Structures are given as structure tokens and as C-alpha cells.
Amino acid sequence: MRNLWIYISKHNAVILFFIFFASSFLLLINNNSFQRASTWNSSNEWVASQYQKVQNLKDYLRLRAINDSLASENGRLLNLLPQRDSSETKGLTKVVDTVSNQQYSYYTAKVINNSVRQKNNYITIDKGALQGIKKGMGVLGPNGVVGIVLNVSPKFATIQSLLHSETRISASLASNRAFGSLVWGAGNFNSAYAVLQDIPNHIKVKVGEKVVASGYSLFPSGIPIGTVSQTGVKGGENFLSIEVKLATNFATLSYVYVVNNAFGNEQKVLEAKNKTE
């Protein structure tokens, strides 16, 4: 207490100045309507700006929950979409399944590890065998094909990325359904591009043309893969190799959808018999 009085006595002039200044300011506001209204408006604007900053911070902190919710909703909507088969042609889609006999269903998963700069790249997701994930399932991103499930543990799974030297995806040109194998790293290891091989050289290909899943492998037909970026890549005497700009940005991949083909095992068993006959 003694120290407080000593402090006040040393700075009494400054303290008295602020007291008189505050008193004058209050008298001015209380006795003049214009100044009072201006002061309240300014204070309300300042308070509102502070509320806005706090709300922006709350919204930022909620982004993860919002993203999780949106990814789950996208997965739910994918499961409600009519199923497509390889008979899809220009602008036409044939529905081959009902909801009660659905061929494809989708599991939503979050990417927890990812690589894009290696010769062979892998992705780790936060879903595993306990959630129904199995080795060999196809994996999609929000914009198109991502890769194939490689290994599975109870709670996690690793994906052999499309950016892998041994990944082969059956892909076709959307305009004419000519199909071949999509591979990565055939010319370089740029994460934005791949090469569509084994397209017959009599097929006319245009830059900007869409490249989609053919429906002959793990993915429903028509799923986006990318667009033709270069047509003059040599592929052999009778076939073309076409450079494709990938639709998926692997460097920013946050969520994926694992494809469950309900008829996949039946098809594999049937096709395996061809090899033994």
C-alpha cells in the first residue's frame, strides 16, 4: 500500500490529467447528441470488427470438422449415384443396377501420408480392414482416379498411387471409347502428367479431349482421369502414346474414396477359369 501511494505521488500530474481528460470526454458525449451518436457508432463498429475477427478464427479452427463433414457427405452421395457400365457413350449413361443391387459403393478416408516426388509413390489413409477396406480396391479423389489399395492393416491402408512406375489403369478416350493403359513415368516423373499407351494409330485424338476410366478394371466407367495435353508422343509402329494432364492434384490430396466393387470377386473367378482351359 505504501508503494502505491509513493507511485501516485510521483505521477500525480499524469494521473490527474487522465482523470480530467476522461471526465471532459464523458461530459462532452453526454451533453452533445452529435458527439454521442458518433462515439457510439465508432465503438459499435470497433466491437463488430472484433467479433468478426473472433468469428473468423472460430471458422478457421472449424475447417477440419467442416472438411470431414463434406468428405463424408460426398461419399454418401457417391453411393446414391446410378451405377454406370462400359456401355456409356456420348452423353448417355445406362443404369445397370438398382439401389438394392448396387455394384459400386464407396468408403470415405482421410489422407494421413503422401508422396509425389519419388519414382514409386504411396499414400496412407486412416481406414483399414475394420472399415471394410481390402487389398486391390480402386481409389478415387474428388477429381478422379488416385490409385489402388496395396496393403491393409486393421485401422490403416496404403495406396499404390497412380504416380507409381508399376501402376496400370485401363483408360479410354471419352469421345470414341478407344482404350489403352495409363502409366506414369514413361517419359518423366512430373506428378501432373501420365501417358496413355496402346491407342491404335488410326484413332484421331484431339488436345483437350477427356480421358476417363474404361470400366474394364477397378473403376466405374466414365470416372475422370485427365485430359489430352499432347498427341505427338510416339508409341510404336501401330499404336499411339498420348500425354495426359491428370485431373487429380496429388500434392494437395486430403480425402479419397475407396471403391468397393460388389461383383469384383465373381468376375475374377470367372476370368481365372479362362487361364486354366
Side-chain angles (χ1 to χ4, degrees):
M1 191 67 178
R2 182 170 175 274
N3 292 334
L4 177 62
W5 284 112
I6 293 174
Y7 178 83
I8 292 174
S9 63
K10 286 183 178 180
H11 301 87
N12 58 350
V14 176
I15 294 173
L16 287 173
F17 169 78
F18 280 110
I19 292 175
F20 289 137
F21 178 81
S23 300
S24 301
F25 184 71
L26 290 174
L27 288 172
L28 178 66
I29 292 174
N30 290 331
N31 294 295
N32 294 273
S33 58
F34 176 77
Q35 283 80 0
R36 183 167 59 252
S38 299
T39 302
W40 278 112
N41 288 337
S42 299
S43 62
N44 286 339
E45 184 177 348
W46 182 84
V47 171
S49 67
Q50 300 309 305
Y51 279 135
Q52 184 63 51
K53 290 179 181 178
V54 172
Q55 187 60 43
N56 289 341
L57 178 60
K58 289 181 178 179
D59 289 342
Y60 177 77
L61 295 176
R62 290 177 58 239
L63 282 178
R64 179 174 180 179
I66 292 172
N67 287 337
D68 289 345
S69 176
L70 288 174
S72 297
E73 180 65 8
N74 286 340
R76 187 184 71 83
L77 293 174
L78 280 171
N79 286 317
L80 295 177
L81 287 176
Q83 303 301 302
R84 296 173 292 185
D85 69 1
S86 58
S87 64
E88 180 180 78
T89 57
K90 299 179 183 178
L92 299 176
T93 302
K94 178 181 178 182
V95 179
V96 296
D97 298 304
T98 64
V99 174
S100 60
N101 191 30
Q102 186 168 320
Q103 180 174 359
Y104 297 104
S105 58
Y106 303 85
Y107 302 98
T108 303
K110 183 178 181 181
V111 174
I112 58 175
N113 196 11
N114 187 14
S115 64
V116 297
R117 297 182 177 87
Q118 308 300 319
K119 179 180 179 181
N120 295 315
N121 294 284
Y122 300 91
I123 300 167
T124 305
I125 57 175
D126 66 346
K127 296 293 189 296
L130 293 177
Q131 290 77 34
I133 308 299
K134 298 178 182 178
K135 181 176 181 178
M137 286 182 169
V139 183
L140 307 176
N143 297 315
V145 173
V146 167
I148 302 168
V149 174
L150 183 63
N151 292 304
V152 181
S153 69
K155 297 180 181 178
F156 301 96
T158 56
I159 298 165
Q160 182 174 302
S161 171
L162 185 59
L163 309 181
H164 191 289
S165 63
E166 296 182 3
T167 300
R168 297 288 186 275
I169 302 295
S170 180
S172 64
L173 299 168
S175 62
N176 52 37
R177 307 300 297 173
F179 68 93
S181 295
L182 188 86
V183 299
W184 181 73
N188 57 63
F189 293 100
N190 188 329
S191 63
Y193 296 90
V195 175
L196 179 58
Q197 298 178 337
D198 302 329
I199 298 295
N201 58 13
H202 68 273
I203 298 294
K204 293 183 179 180
V205 185
K206 298 180 180 179
V207 172
E209 184 174 351
K210 291 183 180 180
V211 177
V212 298
S214 67
Y216 298 152
S217 57
L218 305 172
F219 306 95
S221 65
I223 293 294
I225 293 177
T227 55
V228 175
S229 57
Q230 186 177 342
T231 61
V233 181
K234 298 268 183 176
E237 184 177 348
N238 297 317
F239 296 95
L240 300 172
S241 287
I242 302 163
E243 184 182 76
V244 177
K245 181 173 175 53
L246 299 175
T248 297
N249 184 346
F250 287 83
T252 61
L253 198 61
S254 297
Y255 291 88
V256 295
Y257 306 98
V258 182
V259 183
N260 177 36
N261 183 355
F263 306 153
N265 287 335
E266 180 181 345
Q267 181 178 345
K268 287 180 181 179
V269 170
L270 180 62
E271 292 176 347
K273 292 181 178 179
N274 297 332
K275 298 178 182 180
T276 61
E277 294 178 354

